Amino acid sequence: MKERANRETDRENRETAAGEARIECATHAAGVSHHASEKHHHHTHATGSHHPGGHHLLTVEHLGVSFTMYDPAAPFFSGKRMVSRAIRDLSISVHVGEVLAVVGASGSGKTLLADAILGLSEPNARVTGSIWFDGVPQDAASLARLRGNGIALVPQSVSHLDPLMRVGDQIVGFKARSRAEKHARRARMRGLMEAYGLDRSVERLYPHELSGGMARRVLLLSALIDDPRLIMADEPTPGLDLDLAVQALGDLRSFANRGGGVLLITHDLELALRIADRVAVFRDGTVVEETAVENFARPELLEHPFSRALWHAMPEHGFDVPAKSAEQLAETVGSML
Amino acid sequence: MSLVAENISYAYPGGDDLYRGLSLEVGPQERVALVAPSGRGKTTLCRILAGHLEPRRGSVAADGVPVAPPDRRARRHARGPRPVQLLAQHPEQAFDPLMRLSKSLAEAGPVETDEASALYELFGVRTAWLTRLPHELSGGELMRLAMVRALLARPRYLVADESTAMLDAVTQAEIWRALMGIADKRAMGLVVVSHSPALLTRVATREVRLP
């Protein structure tokens, strides 16, 4: 089942890749840089966006994720097979040296995007569309190979760590093939721990002994140890208070500043605007607008009505709800006892 | 007539004393924000105010009545929902995992009334969710149901602990407007915890800093 789904993905990847790879090269002639807020490939640029080698670090075009399942509304054993579409026609790009925040409500399917990029989709998922990493078109098998070798995931919470294993051993991981390699990785981990302000003694701790902020850094280091080019961070802030959340995001920012790319998946627009270069507004399974953070300074600069509604609804900008639903709200509250 | 916490302190086994005799008063027209760095016991205080935890010292009373029945005998004879309802930070933990949501809601009050359908509409609850089990809904959907259930119980005071942290900005604004509208109408006091200072300045009428 899984293999079939993967093969379908491969085929569709190749089909689209053949047609579009050329366009990709054509628009990104080497040495040509875009000015800030120029629009192409469905997105506007930030001042810091650039395309070394004439391509994006990660490009996702027309991604669709759907699930084959049995009709959940039908009574037992009488459900027909159906296809439920979770993501449709989604396109995003991450440039070198920048943080792209994908912002949407929780439960809206943002994590499925991360799964698709990591090649970790569920067995009953059907993934369509095309993904390029560093200018090379990818299929399901090559995405799985890139996992941990170029693309790294920073998961949501400490529950992703082994509770019975010391933190240091988990960061070093099981990738080393020889003793020398293992020593090299341990040395690299110590360097990273120093760079990110973790004490040497943290190495010996177990996950339950970590504070929220320390746990975030340990998760980040487990990704950084493989020297990735792209980090995907899935909801890195819930449960942290404002200072710790800003610190956790600051760590991602500094990774991007050193030439990596960050895909930040979050529901918190307020925090995303603090550190991201560009924001992709995710709604109902697709990205409705991908735009530079500067455009969130004024609602007129935003294109899609939903992005504007988000702007107006932010607590610092009026806390407004769309006019029609405001009336409805008032009426319904008024009708209650 | 207010929610009064008097001289309370609490300690987890083996931990230090939290609060050391904190007193707090929330009036029925007020929306009070609790502010403190993480790990200082905001969530614990919320649970004490709602009567889910018993303070080690001190007492909590809503409009002169203790929020939790004082002894075992009183607990056995207590009927109906508590006067202070809590919107827990993790709504998954607020519902019986083996109970359909319609049944969970019915524990708080009648669900076939106009009031219930108005609440469904206000909080964007779809009736299809009611026949499901909690694990079949997302965190955001469960949070809306938790709000409906809390309000069906017609509490005198409502404690909201990071309750809109997982929603997008538009939904967050809609839900807070609805909550504040109902709070005004019913003269229901609110206690609010949030990591976002901007949200608190919008929502709260007063701030209380925990020591």
Side-chain angles (χ1 to χ4, degrees):
Chain A
M1 187 66 204
K2 180 167 192 170
E3 272 170 34
R4 199 171 67 213
N6 284 347
R7 269 203 303 279
E8 278 168 7
T9 322
D10 291 356
R11 198 181 58 237
E12 282 174 48
N13 274 337
R14 274 197 298 275
E15 277 166 15
T16 24
E20 287 181 346
R22 240 177 298 121
I23 308 172
E24 176 88 355
C25 299
T27 44
H28 283 291
V32 177
S33 64
H34 302 288
H35 57 79
S37 79
E38 177 180 323
K39 193 168 163 110
H40 84 141
H41 284 289
H42 325 283
H43 62 256
T44 48
H45 287 83
T47 21
S49 304
H50 56 284
H51 308 88
H55 49 248
H56 299 121
L57 181 58
L58 175 81
T59 308
V60 176
E61 293 218 324
H62 309 298
L63 180 77
V65 177
S66 50
F67 294 94
T68 328
M69 56 197 281
Y70 293 96
D71 187 353
F76 287 114
F77 301 119
S78 64
K80 295 274 177 295
R81 255 177 186 260
M82 55 175 284
V83 174
S84 124
R85 299 180 72 182
I87 289 185
R88 62 194 160 79
D89 200 21
L90 178 148
S91 306
I92 51 164
S93 332
V94 183
H95 299 86
V96 165
E98 80 172 9
V99 178
L100 172 73
V102 177
V103 178
S106 59
S108 63
K110 300 188 301 290
T111 303
L112 295 174
L113 166 66
D115 289 346
I117 295 172
L118 291 167
L120 280 177
S121 296
E122 296 284 326
N124 64 336
R126 202 185 128 93
V127 183
T128 58
S130 29
I131 296 176
W132 284 267
F133 182 67
D134 208 8
V136 182
Q138 305 294 333
D139 55 31
S142 67
L143 281 173
R145 278 197 300 277
L146 276 174
R147 192 163 73 223
N149 296 306
I151 303 182
L153 174 75
V154 178
Q156 194 165 350
S157 70
V158 245
S159 62
H160 290 81
L161 293 172
D162 184 337
L164 299 177
M165 194 176 172
R166 291 186 198 279
V167 163
D169 296 334
Q170 296 194 54
I171 298 178
V172 171
F174 299 98
K175 242 179 161 183
R177 292 221 186 79
S178 65
R179 186 167 282 197
E181 224 176 301
K182 191 157 190 174
H183 276 297
R185 279 175 79 89
R186 195 164 281 276
R188 184 171 154 70
M189 172 187 78
R190 296 208 169 124
L192 284 169
M193 285 176 79
E194 205 180 313
Y196 283 87
L198 282 178
D199 198 71
R200 272 287 282 275
S201 61
V202 174
E203 238 179 271
R204 305 275 307 155
L205 297 182
Y206 287 99
H208 75 271
E209 296 174 294
L210 302 174
S211 74
M214 268 150 72
R216 292 288 352 147
R217 291 205 153 149
V218 166
L219 291 169
L220 179 66
L221 292 199
S222 329
L224 288 178
I225 190 97
D226 292 318
D227 199 12
R229 305 205 40 212
L230 176 75
I231 283 187
M232 271 197 287
D234 189 4
E235 295 282 10
T237 54
L240 300 183
D241 65 17
L242 190 63
D243 294 341
L244 284 178
V246 168
Q247 185 193 52
L249 293 179
D251 289 344
L252 291 173
R253 177 75 258 176
S254 65
F255 170 76
N257 291 349
R258 280 180 224 137
V262 175
L263 182 68
L264 169 67
I265 296 176
T266 180
H267 67 275
D268 198 326
L269 180 59
E270 246 176 287
L271 281 173
L273 289 182
R274 282 181 184 229
I275 67 133
D277 298 289
R278 296 187 303 116
V279 171
V281 179
F282 189 96
R283 191 200 192 190
D284 296 339
T286 195
V287 164
V288 295
E289 179 171 2
E290 189 180 342
T291 188
V293 160
E294 291 81 41
N295 291 346
F296 271 87
R298 290 207 315 274
E300 307 87 80
L301 298 174
L302 296 168
E303 268 179 21
H304 197 276
F306 182 66
S307 322
R308 282 192 215 143
L310 274 183
W311 190 92
H312 287 292
M314 284 174 70
E316 27 311 51
H317 305 145
F319 210 42
D320 282 333
V321 295
K324 198 173 147 221
S325 78
E327 271 167 39
Q328 264 174 3
L329 276 178
E331 204 175 293
T332 323
V333 173
S335 74
M336 286 173 56
L337 295 173
Chain B
M1 289 293 268
S2 48
L3 175 63
V4 183
E6 231 168 324
N7 227 349
I8 51 173
S9 55
Y10 187 84
Y12 283 103
D16 286 340
D17 253 19
L18 291 164
Y19 325 125
R20 298 212 177 90
L22 175 94
S23 295
L24 178 74
E25 188 172 344
V26 181
Q29 309 283 354
E30 273 191 309
R31 301 189 291 267
V32 175
L34 298 180
V35 185
S38 72
R40 295 286 171 80
K42 289 185 299 252
T43 296
T44 306
L45 182 58
C46 286
R47 299 188 61 197
I48 292 175
L49 288 177
H52 290 205
L53 277 180
E54 220 172 304
R56 187 165 278 193
R57 268 185 294 282
S59 63
V60 185
D63 301 343
V65 184
V67 288
D71 53 40
R72 214 193 237 166
R73 209 183 128 84
R75 254 198 292 283
R76 205 176 315 138
H77 293 287
R79 285 284 174 274
R82 303 248 173 113
V84 182
Q85 288 290 317
L86 174 70
L87 294 172
Q89 196 171 2
H90 302 287
E92 310 81 38
Q93 295 163 8
F95 289 96
D96 185 333
L98 297 178
M99 217 191 240
R100 303 252 163 221
L101 286 153
S102 52
K103 236 176 146 187
S104 275
L105 287 190
E107 285 187 325
V111 286
E112 307 273 295
T113 57
D114 287 349
E115 187 192 333
S117 30
L119 284 173
Y120 294 161
E121 196 190 320
L122 274 180
F123 292 100
V125 169
R126 294 198 204 128
T127 39
W129 299 349
L130 298 180
T131 54
R132 297 194 197 164
L133 291 170
H135 75 268
E136 296 173 312
L137 293 170
S138 76
E141 289 163 349
L142 282 177
M143 185 42 91
R144 293 157 191 259
L145 284 161
M147 288 181 178
V148 169
R149 184 171 66 171
L151 291 170
L152 275 177
R154 298 201 137 260
R156 308 286 306 122
Y157 300 90
L158 185 68
V159 182
D161 184 6
E162 288 282 9
S163 33
T164 51
M166 53 182 43
L167 305 171
D168 69 71
V170 175
T171 322
Q172 169 173 283
E174 278 173 4
I175 281 187
W176 273 111
R177 279 178 182 260
L179 266 182
M180 292 193 291
I182 293 173
D184 280 349
K185 195 138 197 233
R186 292 184 179 173
M188 174 179 78
L190 274 173
V191 178
V192 191
V193 173
S194 169
H195 68 280
S196 158
L199 177 66
L200 290 180
T201 48
R202 277 285 163 195
V203 171
T205 53
R206 182 159 68 89
E207 255 186 26
V208 172
R209 286 187 178 274
L210 299 189

